[in-house]
Amino acid sequence: MSVDFWINVGVIAGIYGILTLGLQLNTGFTGLLNFGQAGYMAIGAYGAGILVAEAGFSLWLAFSTSLVLSAAVAMVIGWSTSRLGPDQFAIVTIAFAEIVRHILQNTDFSGGNQGLIGFDVEWRSASEWITLLFSGIGLGEYKQIPLLLFVWITFVALTGLMKMLERTPWSRVLRGIRDDETAIAALGKNTLWFRMQSLAIGAALAVVAGFFIALDVTYLYPGIFDPTFTFFGFVILLIGGLGNYWGIMLGSVVFWTLMEGSRLIETSLSATEQASLRFLVVGFLLIVLSRVCPHGFLGNSRGRDHDH
Amino acid sequence: MSATALAYFTEVPKPVKLLVSLFTIFLCLIAFFGTVKVSQATINGFVTGSYLGLGAMGLTLIMGVMKLVNLAYGDFLVAGAYFTLTFTALGTPLPLSVLLATLGTALLSILAEKLVWLPLRSAGASALQCFLSAIGLSFLIRFAIQFFGGSESRSFDIDVLSTMVLGPFRVGTQQALGFVMALTVFSMLAIGLWISGAMKTMRAVSDNRLLAEVCGIGVGHTIDLTSLLSGLLAGAAGIVYATAVGSFNPNFGLTLLLSLFAAATLGGIGNIYGAMLGGLVIGLSQEWSALLLGAKWKPLVALVFLVLMLLAVPRGIFARAQRRP
């Protein structure tokens, strides 16, 4: 029981870590306040779910299609918001995520509030096969181990990939946009195109996270893509540190261990009261962290301090 | 001929264009749905517009004077509604509870200013820091309310079912009550601002803080006054919402916040009368859209409005002429 619980915490930490990699690229490296990650995650998860359950696509094909779709949406958002200031951009991204959620809540093709099922048959048979392998070494009773492995291998690989991207001239341009967009534009770079690329990659990472969420909860409903979950990503980002990809791994594990682990504490409070208390702590953490260490615990403040 | 007509059209001020298009939509709707249905929707639109307008006035003040996108603002509205519940539960009569709750929300707003925003401003915080603090504050308020008040739906102790019949129209007593409350708050505020001249100093700080300071305007006082007023407006708007809609839970803040952003943007950031009109436009659009698309899409209308407004006319329709700094 308890092992299953912690395996699931590991799964969630990995998934939100992947989501936060996108926030790191957008916010930490490009200076774009993207508060719409939950929207891209929803497009990815529902896109894949609908294509499999209703159009009969294979899981991989459905996944790739929704990846492209979500990245294209991000491109359009990046392009259409080119004239907006950072505050207005942030508002548009939240509004976008809420628009996606409202549409999913009220249309027939998404199953509305009842949700969507029946898209993970292929995954479940693969998962059972892996579980069978593990039963050889006595771990056969934990059904979520295949997902845990799958999520974390992807998470580590993607983090490594982002780290490699960080060393490219491409990423230097992004950091330049973050620190002084006008200067980079003056060097002849098309900053709009770079911003759009950053958003598209961020959205693609959100799709991967959304896809794993779909496999984890086995049925999709709009409530999993509440803006609150984007905000969780920002808490993880603050703990892990702005400009630090590997820090996200620690941030996500710390955050979800605290969030979920606190469920195990026996109190006389009701479930609602306990949940509220957890969120109160998150709120307090956000205010204090953003005040005391604006670049996060493990933040990379190199190259930023010179402009003060 | 047509070229001059086009040139003439582009010179028409935006508010006039808005009024003409609203009126055209109104006439088209009447042609399709009949006078009674459309008028009923219009009455509902004014009720919705009244709380959206009040809330947007507070939000636009914060964004204009303090240059702050306060994502926690929606939760101040929720606080207003729950403060009222608390006071009525303690045995205070409803009108007095409403007054105390509005003051309570204003107090909360001043606390937020002193404990969160003032320190951030004096540290020269980045946009990201402000956004994250606002989200943190939003969590604190929303979940403190949920901790003490529970997450289930609540309502004020008003007769929910009673309606007033005015000719062919029916207006719920609560809706009428909410509308009258909003109108009272709005007129009191307008008169207060007119007599005290506070509007002028707020506008000065909003336009150019440094210049205002040089001219001897107490910027600190103006910001305190702004957080007080925006708190009062948030409390009042939340109470009007709770009264008019009937039942509410601690989560109505964020959805409403985006509608308030839409109204404030439409009105031009910093322009409080523009925000009131923006609220009315959003309210009418939501209720009229319900005729065409059904009630479930109402929240989406405000969201789409917000995105389109920001993309097409980010400075709003009632924006004052910008002076070069």
Side-chain angles (χ1 to χ4, degrees):
Chain A
M1 167 59 208
S2 184
V3 176
D4 274 334
F5 178 84
W6 288 110
I7 288 175
N8 203 46
V9 173
V11 170
I12 297 173
I15 292 173
Y16 278 88
I18 296 171
L19 180 84
T20 311
L21 286 178
L23 290 177
Q24 183 72 282
L25 178 69
N26 294 159
T27 306
F29 282 92
T30 326
L32 292 167
L33 299 181
N34 173 14
F35 285 97
Q37 278 299 74
Y40 298 120
M41 192 157 72
I43 292 179
Y46 267 95
I50 289 167
L51 286 176
V52 172
E54 277 160 36
F57 280 41
S58 78
L59 207 51
W60 281 110
L61 186 62
F63 168 67
S64 327
T65 313
S66 59
L67 196 75
V68 172
L69 177 71
S70 201
V73 171
M75 287 262 183
V76 172
I77 289 180
W79 175 75
S80 59
T81 52
S82 59
R83 287 190 305 154
L84 299 185
D87 291 349
Q88 291 171 325
F89 176 80
I91 296 173
V92 168
T93 56
I94 300 182
F96 150 74
E98 282 293 88
I99 287 174
V100 172
R101 194 166 66 91
H102 273 287
I103 290 176
L104 292 174
Q105 224 162 33
N106 290 309
T107 47
D108 294 330
F109 69 85
S110 65
N113 274 323
Q114 264 84 48
L116 190 76
I117 49 163
F119 50 83
D120 54 351
V121 185
E122 285 173 74
W123 162 248
R124 256 184 291 156
S125 61
S127 167
E128 269 162 30
W129 181 74
I130 302 171
T131 311
L132 214 62
L133 289 181
F134 274 97
S135 63
I137 51 171
L139 290 170
E141 56 179 314
Y142 306 120
K143 303 289 181 220
Q144 289 289 70
I145 282 186
L147 188 61
L148 181 73
L149 284 176
F150 195 23
V151 166
W152 274 87
I153 289 169
T154 314
F155 184 21
V156 172
L158 286 173
T159 309
L161 197 69
M162 296 309 289
K163 204 65 202 167
M164 273 159 62
L165 264 183
E166 194 188 328
R167 296 201 193 89
T168 60
W170 179 80
S171 178
R172 269 200 293 283
V173 176
L174 293 191
R175 271 173 285 172
I177 292 174
R178 177 192 70 193
D179 295 336
D180 189 347
E181 182 161 357
T182 321
I184 296 300
L187 291 175
K189 301 286 182 197
N190 183 349
T191 54
L192 173 61
W193 177 233
F194 278 90
R195 282 163 54 137
M196 282 163 69
Q197 287 174 319
S198 169
L199 285 173
I201 295 176
L205 288 162
V207 170
V208 177
F211 186 63
F212 281 132
I213 289 263
L215 295 183
D216 183 36
V217 297
T218 69
Y219 90 107
L220 291 170
Y221 57 99
I224 346 172
F225 304 110
D226 195 89
T228 310
F229 297 110
T230 306
F231 301 157
F232 282 177
F234 274 96
V235 183
I236 294 170
L237 189 62
L238 264 188
I239 301 175
L242 282 162
N244 181 349
Y245 282 115
W246 292 108
I248 292 173
M249 213 166 268
L250 183 78
S252 194
V253 170
V254 168
F255 178 73
W256 286 106
T257 308
L258 291 177
M259 277 298 271
E260 296 295 306
S262 62
R263 284 176 198 273
L264 299 175
I265 303 168
E266 296 278 340
T267 57
S268 56
L269 299 171
S270 74
T272 313
E273 284 173 331
Q274 245 188 318
S276 312
L277 214 52
R278 271 203 296 279
F279 279 94
L280 279 172
V281 174
V282 175
F284 192 69
L285 206 66
L286 264 173
I287 294 179
V288 171
L289 273 182
S290 60
R291 175 77 186 84
V292 179
C293 38
H295 296 152
F297 274 151
L298 307 169
N300 179 2
S301 52
R302 267 184 307 143
R304 280 179 168 229
D305 295 336
H306 65 86
D307 53 27
H308 292 306
Chain B
M1 166 68 198
S2 71
T4 47
L6 195 69
Y8 183 71
F9 182 73
T10 47
E11 271 171 32
V12 171
K14 281 179 198 152
V16 177
K17 280 189 212 164
L18 179 74
L19 201 67
V20 169
S21 38
L22 277 181
F23 196 65
T24 317
I25 295 170
F26 182 66
L27 290 181
C28 291
L29 284 172
I30 285 183
F32 276 107
F33 297 98
T35 322
V36 174
K37 252 182 151 175
V38 176
S39 307
Q40 183 72 58
T42 308
I43 292 173
N44 295 345
F46 270 96
V47 174
T48 308
S50 70
Y51 59 76
L52 288 183
L54 277 189
M57 284 165 80
L59 186 64
T60 208
L61 275 180
I62 296 183
M63 291 174 75
V65 176
M66 291 152 79
K67 306 286 176 248
L68 173 73
V69 182
N70 192 351
L71 287 184
Y73 187 75
D75 298 281
F76 283 93
L77 272 77
V78 186
Y82 274 83
F83 276 143
T84 312
L85 278 183
T86 315
F87 284 118
T88 46
L90 291 173
T92 322
L94 191 62
L96 189 60
S97 305
V98 166
L99 197 66
L100 289 174
T102 315
L103 293 175
T105 318
L107 191 67
L108 197 63
S109 171
I110 291 174
L111 271 180
E113 157 65 18
K114 294 293 176 204
L115 296 178
V116 181
W117 306 124
L118 186 62
L120 276 177
R121 259 202 314 277
S122 41
S126 66
L128 178 66
Q129 273 174 286
C130 292
F131 267 101
L132 295 181
S133 303
I135 293 167
L137 186 62
S138 154
F139 276 16
L140 278 187
I141 299 174
R142 191 182 343 157
F143 290 98
I145 292 170
Q146 192 168 306
F147 184 82
F148 292 111
S151 57
E152 64 274 14
S153 282
R154 307 287 289 267
S155 56
F156 292 157
D157 190 17
I158 308 167
D159 189 355
V160 188
L161 294 173
S162 73
T163 49
M164 294 186 296
V165 180
L166 302 166
F169 310 121
R170 306 175 72 82
V171 185
T173 312
Q174 329 156 270
Q175 284 171 301
L177 201 62
F179 187 70
V180 170
M181 271 182 346
L183 214 58
T184 316
V185 173
F186 176 74
S187 350
M188 273 162 52
L189 184 80
I191 293 169
L193 285 177
W194 184 56
I195 292 176
S196 67
M199 197 59 217
K200 228 181 228 168
T201 56
M202 286 196 289
R203 201 183 295 165
V205 175
S206 159
D207 278 355
N208 189 333
R209 201 178 146 173
L210 204 62
L211 193 60
E213 210 157 6
V214 170
C215 293
I217 291 171
V219 172
H221 286 299
T222 309
I223 287 178
D224 287 348
L225 179 70
T226 308
S227 47
L228 172 82
L229 280 179
S230 69
L232 283 176
L233 282 164
I239 294 166
V240 172
Y241 172 88
T243 311
V245 173
S247 79
F248 52 93
N249 64 32
N251 294 321
F252 76 77
L254 188 65
T255 319
L256 210 54
L257 176 72
L258 292 168
S259 304
L260 299 183
F261 272 131
T265 309
L266 189 67
I269 297 303
N271 179 350
I272 65 166
Y273 298 112
M276 189 71 204
L277 290 171
L280 280 179
V281 172
I282 303 285
L284 285 172
S285 327
Q286 283 192 343
E287 298 299 332
W288 284 348
S289 77
L291 288 174
L292 289 166
L293 308 167
K296 66 180 182 181
W297 294 109
K298 267 195 242 173
L300 200 67
V301 173
L303 291 173
V304 172
F305 230 106
L306 172 59
V307 172
L308 292 182
M309 282 298 307
L310 280 175
L311 298 185
V313 252
R315 290 192 38 244
I317 285 182
F318 302 97
R320 283 174 288 117
Q322 192 87 23
R323 251 178 252 148
R324 294 263 141 229

